[in-house]
């Protein structure tokens, strides 16, 4: 298998969903599905054995739910973390928040469409993250309002002015290209700012950057 091929493990308790995802992903150049799992425990075993580049994981599965699978495979205590994208039917606030805190690098609704599924896999494979546009701003804003602590605003954010602008746009769901256009920056400059932000904040991807922004009040809903 070519080193440029992205390998994927699909975990869902519905065979029709697994088959559909496999057909979509296997039809894409540079993506290959190397395994399937029908429950969470099977997913953990297969992921550790196959070491896929990306794991697509449903939330509600037998034996071990997808949020726990994410914690085991991608969480802060994982010895050799894998990249996990949550794909679910359920548009629930606590699912997104828990998935992010457990290390997920993507959160998609199953009705998001084939294009976003492929984009989420490619984003995860390159170390980026994608959240369904339908849930990004609404859920992150609500979670920020619910979980923000007064002490979170204490002291200035350890970011430059330009980095803060980039973070604000990430938090409201802008893509890198959209950030380029809005701030009149090159793509490489935007990526440099994002890498610097991740280092300063101690976060791993743009989902966690967005969560930080909403949690600390760096961005607020209008």
């Amino acid at each position: 298998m070519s080193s440029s091929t992205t390998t994927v493990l699909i975990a869902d308790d519905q065979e029709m969903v697994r088959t559909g995802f496999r057909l979509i992903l296997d039809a894409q150049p540079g993506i290959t599905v190397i395994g399937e799992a029908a429950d969470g425990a099977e997913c953990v075993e297969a992921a550790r054995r196959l070491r896929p580049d990306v794991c697509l994981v449903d939330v509600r599965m037998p034996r071990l739910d997808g949020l726990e699978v994410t914690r085991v495979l991608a969480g802060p205590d994982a010895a050799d973390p894998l990249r996990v994208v949550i794909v679910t039917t359920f548009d629930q606030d606590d699912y997104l928040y828990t998935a992010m805190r457990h290390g997920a690098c993507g959160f998609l609704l199953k009705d998001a469409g084939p294009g976003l599924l492929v984009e989420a896999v490619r984003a995860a494979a390159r170390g980026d993250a994608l959240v369904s546009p339908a849930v990004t701003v609404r859920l992150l804003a609500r979670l920020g309002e619910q979980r923000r602590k007064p002490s979170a605003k204490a002291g200035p954010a350890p970011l430059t002015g330009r980095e803060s602008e980039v973070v604000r746009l990430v938090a409201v769901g802008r893509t890198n290209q959209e950030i380029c256009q809005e701030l009149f920056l090159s793509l490489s400059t935007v990526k440099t700012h994002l890498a610097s932000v991740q280092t300063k904040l101690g976060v791993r991807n743009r989902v966690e950057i967005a969560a930080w922004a909403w949690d600390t009040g760096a961005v607020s809903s209008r």
Side-chain angles (χ1 to χ4, degrees):
M1 188 175 296
S2 168
S3 59
S4 62
T5 298
T6 297
T7 56
V8 180
L9 171 68
I10 300 170
D12 196 291
D13 60 344
Q14 298 183 52
E15 184 177 0
M16 288 182 63
V17 172
R18 298 197 307 272
T19 300
F21 286 176
R22 177 185 281 272
L23 288 172
I24 291 168
L25 295 174
D26 277 343
Q28 302 300 313
I31 298 179
T32 300
V33 176
I34 59 170
E36 296 181 16
D39 64 61
E42 184 181 352
C43 175
V44 170
E45 186 279 325
R48 287 173 169 168
R49 173 169 47 85
L50 299 172
R51 301 295 303 174
D53 296 312
V54 180
C55 302
L56 289 179
V57 178
D58 186 24
V59 171
R60 297 188 179 181
M61 293 189 293
R63 299 175 68 195
L64 205 63
D65 69 45
L67 299 176
E68 182 64 12
V69 168
T70 302
R71 186 191 67 78
V72 171
L73 295 180
D77 296 328
D80 194 3
L82 291 166
R83 292 163 179 163
V84 175
V85 174
I86 291 288
V87 188
T88 180
T89 304
F90 304 98
D91 183 357
Q92 293 185 204
D93 297 18
D94 56 334
Y95 284 175
L96 172 61
Y97 191 87
T98 303
M100 290 191 305
R101 291 298 180 250
H102 284 184
C105 60
F107 187 95
L108 291 181
L109 300 181
K110 287 182 179 178
D111 62 3
L116 273 179
L117 178 68
V118 173
E119 188 178 346
V121 168
R122 295 198 188 282
R126 64 176 179 260
D128 206 339
L130 184 147
V131 175
S132 282
V135 300
T136 304
V137 176
R138 179 179 62 78
L139 291 187
L140 287 175
R142 186 179 303 169
L143 292 166
E145 291 297 326
Q146 290 174 349
R147 299 174 185 273
R148 188 177 303 149
K149 299 177 181 178
S151 61
K153 291 187 178 181
L159 305 177
T160 67
R162 183 62 87 183
E163 288 168 350
S164 295
E165 291 178 327
V166 171
V167 166
R168 177 181 60 80
L169 294 176
V170 167
V172 295
R174 298 290 196 275
T175 66
N176 283 358
Q177 194 59 51
E178 289 169 338
I179 294 172
C180 291
Q181 295 169 357
E182 190 157 339
L183 298 181
F184 303 102
L185 300 173
S186 69
L187 184 58
S188 61
T189 299
V190 170
K191 290 181 177 179
T192 297
H193 284 316
L194 287 173
S196 175
V197 167
Q198 287 179 209
T199 299
K200 289 181 177 181
L201 300 182
V203 299
R204 293 176 291 181
N205 53 53
R206 71 193 303 118
V207 175
E208 293 184 0
I209 290 174
W212 176 88
W214 287 108
D215 283 347
T216 61
V219 65
S220 59
S221 55
R222 292 178 173 84

